[in-house]
Amino acid sequence: MVSYSKVEALRGVSLKVEEGTIVSLLGSNGAGKSTTIKTISGLQHPTSGEIWFRGERIDRLSPKDIVRRGISQVPEGRRTFPSMTVLDNLRVGAYVRKDSEAVKKDLKNILDYFPILSKRQSQAAGTLSGGEQQMLAIGRALMSKPRLLLLDEPSLGLAPLVVSEIAEIITKINQNGVSVLLVEQNALMGIRLAKRSYVMQTGRIILEGTTEELSSNDEVKRSYLGG
């Protein structure tokens, strides 16, 4: 359970992300998806219940210690540092790491992975387009070398072509060995990318299943997939 003051935000939420998979958390605005992500990241602590990652309980750790254990979040709205350069934004993502040579190598790999960021690395992040800022936010999170990437509404506010590009990037990240928990209002994108999906409503999980099961579920089709 998670509460804001005396207001209950999450109740009885139970989900699992198997290593090497993409799992989607779907639901309308205000369903509790972002609160779930923030709780896993340590930005919000549960009033009851437990969160486990790779055999260790993490729900009382600080956000910094959770990042050190291999969980990184891409927040809703990107939240890049607008006055800092693209390069410095990426470097910030590695702030918990001490392996400086490996950080340099990973920085080069991420700039190769996102060619547009390589071209704009000396440019202020605030001057980038929405899609470019989303790529920067993802690249920054990858700089911490996560085992689990938490993506909060990566398609929000982006044009359809850019959304398709972001979806391809998420798939490639997963193919490179990073597990992904994807929070999305875009249910079609979430279900297509994921091995398994959960549907939230008013702070609770109301449905769960594989891509095939949810794609053929009448309630999901009617409420989230446009019929």
Side-chain angles (χ1 to χ4, degrees):
M1 182 184 295
V2 176
S3 299
Y4 293 110
S5 187
K6 294 183 179 181
V7 179
E8 189 178 86
L10 299 179
R11 180 176 59 194
V13 172
S14 180
L15 58 87
K16 180 179 180 180
V17 181
E18 293 182 1
E19 190 165 3
T21 65
I22 299 175
V23 170
S24 289
L25 187 57
L26 312 173
S28 59
N29 190 33
K33 307 184 304 299
S34 291
T35 298
T36 302
I37 289 283
K38 290 176 182 177
T39 306
I40 295 170
S41 298
L43 299 172
Q44 183 77 22
H45 291 302
T47 52
S48 63
E50 301 174 355
I51 302 172
W52 288 77
F53 181 65
R54 298 180 62 82
E56 179 183 6
R57 185 175 175 181
I58 63 170
D59 52 271
R60 292 298 168 186
L61 297 179
S62 69
K64 180 169 66 175
D65 287 333
I66 289 173
V67 172
R68 282 183 173 139
R69 280 157 176 77
I71 299 177
S72 190
Q73 179 183 352
V74 179
E76 181 181 349
R78 277 83 76 175
R79 304 288 180 89
T80 59
F81 298 100
S83 62
M84 291 170 54
T85 66
V86 167
L87 190 58
D88 285 341
N89 267 270
L90 291 173
R91 286 172 173 155
V92 165
Y95 80 104
V96 299
R97 296 176 60 182
K98 305 298 182 185
D99 49 341
S100 57
E101 290 305 312
V103 167
K104 290 178 183 177
K105 182 180 178 182
D106 288 341
L107 179 59
K108 181 182 182 302
N109 289 340
I110 286 172
L111 289 172
D112 289 342
Y113 195 79
F114 297 101
I116 192 64
L117 299 184
S118 183
K119 292 177 182 177
R120 309 229 193 287
Q121 57 184 293
S122 60
Q123 191 171 322
T127 65
L128 301 179
S129 69
E132 290 166 350
Q133 288 191 39
Q134 186 64 71
M135 293 177 198
L136 177 57
I138 293 172
R140 181 181 60 190
L142 292 176
M143 283 297 295
S144 70
K145 215 170 183 62
R147 291 178 177 271
L148 173 62
L149 185 65
L150 309 176
L151 288 164
D152 195 353
E153 304 285 6
S155 73
L156 188 65
L158 301 180
L161 284 176
V162 181
V163 171
S164 296
E165 189 173 0
I166 295 298
E168 290 178 10
I169 289 169
I170 294 169
T171 299
K172 287 179 183 177
I173 289 170
N174 178 245
Q175 289 171 345
N176 287 335
V178 180
S179 306
V180 177
L181 177 57
L182 172 63
V183 164
E184 263 296 336
Q185 286 190 61
N186 184 338
L188 187 60
M189 171 180 163
I191 289 175
R192 282 178 173 173
L193 289 178
K195 177 181 179 182
R196 188 169 190 83
S197 297
Y198 296 83
V199 180
M200 291 195 76
Q201 189 177 88
T202 58
R204 295 186 296 174
I205 302 289
I206 60 167
L207 286 170
E208 64 176 280
T210 64
T211 296
E212 293 77 13
E213 289 168 343
L214 290 187
S215 295
S216 60
N217 182 285
D218 289 339
E219 183 177 348
V220 172
K221 287 193 290 186
R222 182 174 59 254
S223 300
Y224 300 100
L225 303 180

